[in-house]
Amino acid sequence: MRPSWDNYFMEMTEVVAKRSTCLRRKVGALIVKDKRVLATGYNGAPSGLKHCAETGCLREQNNVPSGERHELCRGLHAEQNAIIQAALHGSSINEATLYCTHQPCILCTKMIINAGIKQVVFKGAYPDKLALEMMKEAGIKIEEIK
């Protein structure tokens, strides 16, 4: 049996997440438009910098709970990396769908809104109610796949 398009793209996010260098949570993201993958991203340190496996996790060292103090991290989020990859390669993501292994945080949500992404499909929950509220306010269709 063939998977639905949503399940097909969500399975791809799981493969992308395997490239993550984060010690706490492996996250993968895909930006899709017209059933075509435009960009992918996973969470980890910026290109050319040491990964957390080498430096240790700042968030763990400082006992920072999930969903708080995003600035205390060496890494970029998967959604951020996907948006940056699209920009680097000149791909318009306006009206696209973002697939992600986890619900986007508030920082990624603001980028998603301003990038013109129209739909977000995710699998895993994340403790950020404001992010969901802002996506709804912006008219972004939200779908959680269980």
Side-chain angles (χ1 to χ4, degrees):
M1 183 149 110
R2 292 175 78 190
S4 69
W5 284 108
D6 283 344
N7 287 330
Y8 174 71
F9 292 125
M10 283 305 298
E11 284 184 37
M12 285 185 186
T13 66
E14 298 289 342
V15 173
V16 172
K18 290 178 182 181
R19 291 278 310 151
S20 170
T21 61
C22 181
L23 300 175
R24 289 179 98 178
R25 184 186 313 244
K26 306 277 186 208
V27 181
L30 225 64
I31 299 176
V32 175
K33 190 172 181 180
D34 300 323
K35 297 183 177 108
R36 302 288 182 256
V37 176
L38 300 178
T40 65
Y42 52 86
N43 56 332
S47 298
L49 299 186
K50 291 180 182 177
H51 298 295
C52 296
E54 299 172 76
T55 64
C57 176
L58 292 173
R59 296 174 64 75
E60 286 293 325
Q61 293 165 7
N62 291 294
N63 297 313
V64 178
S66 184
E68 296 179 17
R69 306 288 315 268
H70 298 285
E71 74 279 6
L72 293 177
C73 179
R74 292 181 59 83
L76 290 155
H77 289 186
E79 304 93 322
Q80 294 169 331
N81 271 324
I83 291 168
I84 290 166
Q85 285 303 310
L88 272 173
H89 297 288
S91 298
S92 172
I93 57 175
N94 189 43
E95 299 291 312
T97 298
L98 182 129
Y99 289 87
C100 197
T101 54
H102 295 77
Q103 175 203 315
C105 72
I106 189 61
L107 297 175
C108 292
T109 292
K110 291 185 266 187
M111 291 178 70
I112 288 165
I113 292 167
N114 276 3
I117 291 171
K118 67 174 180 177
Q119 181 179 8
V120 173
V121 181
F122 65 91
K123 199 171 185 181
Y126 188 73
D128 199 330
K129 227 166 119 177
L130 180 59
L132 289 175
E133 291 169 7
M134 286 184 74
M135 279 191 268
K136 287 177 186 171
E137 183 181 344
I140 294 173
K141 183 180 175 190
I142 305 163
E143 183 181 348
E144 182 176 2
I145 293 181
K146 303 230 177 201

